[in-house]
């Protein structure tokens, strides 16, 4: 899962865009939905395709957003779509139609695959099903989830009732998160001398490792964070970027990471946030904000004061 690689062949951006997924042209969107219907039909299920979901005769809805993003970003282009879609549909139906994990797994088995997951608030249902989750930063929510062989299942408040105290479950989930292996780590260096680190992985919990950032930085870099903390970005579930703040290089690093986060978030499966945050002792403060086609830095007084101190220290 490299950061920089040749992109897939796509229709020109000058062609009319799909109304729901703007990274598709109208033609690509039509091909995608047709192949989704075909994949369900191959499994004996007729579905009606709408802009962002398909529904079956029982009224069940299957969201298409993440699958569309996966197809769009696959470097092999459209020839890869049928297999990607069939695989996704198979996993979804096996998960929905098979025995439910909370009904067949023991308490110990559930705790062994329990993790905290950071997601965009807007991706959660409008109901209070996940009101137990912490908000690590504006627009983000931390929920508990099960890492299953073919799916990641986020746990609603009702589903946690028989599992025990939420605080104790979170402790176990955090310990599981700390024990995850590092799948990939790259350093991004820019011409202006700035640099930042990127953690990559197929795990759905790669970006969620921001919850244990201080320990992760020590593990990867051999040096912990200073009291000034770090810049962090989690554009989508498979990436976490950070820059240890220790000198005035934080200024160009912020600009570089803001571009990186906005670009990575734009058409990703499992998109989380296009922003860069200032991480200090577990508290995350937004520092960048997409503004149309531009990026706007929104540093607060505390961050400005820190910058002045670091710049003066190098003068």
């Amino acid at each position: 899962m490299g950061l920089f690689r040749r992109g897939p062949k796509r229709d020109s951006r000058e062609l009319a865009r799909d109304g729901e997924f703007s990274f598709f042209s109208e033609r690509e969107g039509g091909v995608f939905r047709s192949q989704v219907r075909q994949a369900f039909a191959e499994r004996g299920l007729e579905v009606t395709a709408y802009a962002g979901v398909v529904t079956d005769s029982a009224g069940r809805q299957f969201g298409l957003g993440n699958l569309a993003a996966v197809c769009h970003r696959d470097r092999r282009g459209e020839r890869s779509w049928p297999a990607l879609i069939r695989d996704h549909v198979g996993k979804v139906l096996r998960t929905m139609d098979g025995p439910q994990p909370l009904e067949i797994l023991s308490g110990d088995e559930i705790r062994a695959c329990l993790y905290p997951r950071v997601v965009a608030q807007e991706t959660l249902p409008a109901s209070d099903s996940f009101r137990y989750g912490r908000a690590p930063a504006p627009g983000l929510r931390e929920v508990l989830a099960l890492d299953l062989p073919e799916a990641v299942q986020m746990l609603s408040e009702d589903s946690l009732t028989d599992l025990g105290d939420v605080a104790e479950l979170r402790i176990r989930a955090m310990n599981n998160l700390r024990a995850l292996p590092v799948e990939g780590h790259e350093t991004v260096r820019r011409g202006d001398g700035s640099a930042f680190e990127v953690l990559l992985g197929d795990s759905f919990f790669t970006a969620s490792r921001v919850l244990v950032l201080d320990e992760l930085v020590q593990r990867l870099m051999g040096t912990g964070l200073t009291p000034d903390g770090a810049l962090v970005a989690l554009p989508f579930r498979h990436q976490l970027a950070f820059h240890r703040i220790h000198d005035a290089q934080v200024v160009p690093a912020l600009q570089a990471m803001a571009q990186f986060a906005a670009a990575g978030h734009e058409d990703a499966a499992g998109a989380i946030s296009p922003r860069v945050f200032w991480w200090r002792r577990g508290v995350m403060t937004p520092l960048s904000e997409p503004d149309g086609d531009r990026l706007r830095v929104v540093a607060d007084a505390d961050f400005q004061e820190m910058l002045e101190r670091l710049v003066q220290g190098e003068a």
Side-chain angles (χ1 to χ4, degrees), residues 36-53:
V36 169
R37 289 193 297 269
Q38 177 64 29
F40 276 101
E42 289 173 359
R43 291 183 169 271
L45 194 64
E46 295 297 324
V47 297
T48 302
Y50 297 95
V53 299

Side-chain angles (χ1 to χ4, degrees), residues 5-302:
R5 62 188 183 189
R6 185 177 180 181
K9 183 178 180 181
R10 299 167 178 159
D11 283 353
S12 168
R13 294 291 298 185
E14 297 178 359
L15 296 177
R17 311 317 296 168
D18 184 82
E20 180 72 16
F21 307 120
S22 61
F23 45 75
F24 282 156
S25 67
E26 283 187 353
R27 183 198 66 81
E28 289 169 332
V31 170
F32 168 74
R33 293 181 183 87
S34 175
Q35 291 181 357
V36 169
R37 289 193 297 269
Q38 177 64 29
F40 276 101
E42 289 173 359
R43 291 183 169 271
L45 194 64
E46 295 297 324
V47 297
T48 302
Y50 297 95
V53 299
V54 296
T55 61
D56 64 12
S57 58
R60 297 185 301 180
Q61 288 193 348
F62 307 87
L64 298 179
N66 283 340
L67 178 58
V70 167
C71 288
H72 169 67
R73 291 174 68 93
D74 194 287
R75 61 181 175 179
R76 295 168 295 176
E78 283 184 42
R79 62 188 177 88
S80 70
W81 292 8
L84 291 172
I85 292 170
R86 284 196 297 270
D87 181 64
H88 177 84
V89 168
K91 289 179 179 178
V92 167
L93 291 179
R94 285 193 296 273
T95 300
M96 294 188 69
D97 296 338
Q100 295 306 297
L102 294 181
E103 298 174 356
I104 62 173
L105 296 179
S106 69
D108 287 343
E109 289 172 327
I110 289 173
R111 286 167 175 77
C113 61
L114 187 65
Y115 291 86
R117 184 177 179 189
V118 176
V119 298
Q121 174 71 46
E122 63 189 23
T123 63
L124 294 174
S127 66
D128 293 332
S129 302
F130 295 92
R131 62 184 176 183
Y132 71 88
R134 298 169 59 252
L140 304 182
R141 184 64 67 93
E142 174 200 327
V143 299
L144 294 175
L146 296 179
D147 189 15
L148 304 169
E150 289 197 322
V152 170
Q153 179 180 335
M154 294 191 296
L155 300 176
S156 66
E157 188 165 352
D158 289 343
S159 65
L160 293 172
T161 303
D162 297 330
L163 296 182
D165 179 71
V166 172
E168 293 180 359
L169 291 172
R170 182 175 185 270
I171 291 173
R172 177 57 186 266
M174 291 288 284
N175 288 336
N176 290 341
L177 185 68
R178 292 184 178 96
L180 284 176
V182 173
E183 296 181 65
H185 169 218
E186 299 183 17
T187 301
V188 178
R189 302 188 187 278
R190 311 293 285 235
D192 55 13
S194 65
F196 59 92
E197 312 299 321
V198 182
L199 192 72
L200 312 100
D202 291 330
S203 168
F204 276 42
F205 305 99
T206 301
S208 301
R209 297 175 80 154
V210 72
L211 299 173
V212 291
L213 184 72
D214 47 355
E215 300 170 43
L216 179 66
V217 170
Q218 179 69 49
R219 177 178 174 183
L220 287 176
M221 311 298 292
T223 304
L225 297 173
T226 72
D228 290 326
L231 303 179
V232 297
L234 41 164
F236 63 106
R237 64 194 180 204
H238 301 296
Q239 276 188 0
L240 171 64
F242 66 87
H243 170 84
R244 292 175 59 250
I245 299 175
H246 56 91
D247 59 24
Q249 284 298 312
V250 64
V251 177
L254 173 56
Q255 294 291 340
M257 287 182 63
Q259 296 172 358
F260 176 85
H265 175 269
E266 183 178 8
D267 57 2
I272 300 177
S273 177
R275 299 173 178 84
V276 176
F277 299 90
W278 183 18
W279 188 102
R280 283 184 301 170
R281 296 178 293 277
V283 177
M284 295 168 59
T285 305
L287 292 177
S288 71
E289 186 77 31
D291 185 9
D293 294 331
R294 306 180 64 184
L295 294 168
R296 183 164 52 93
V297 174
V298 290
D300 63 11
D302 287 344

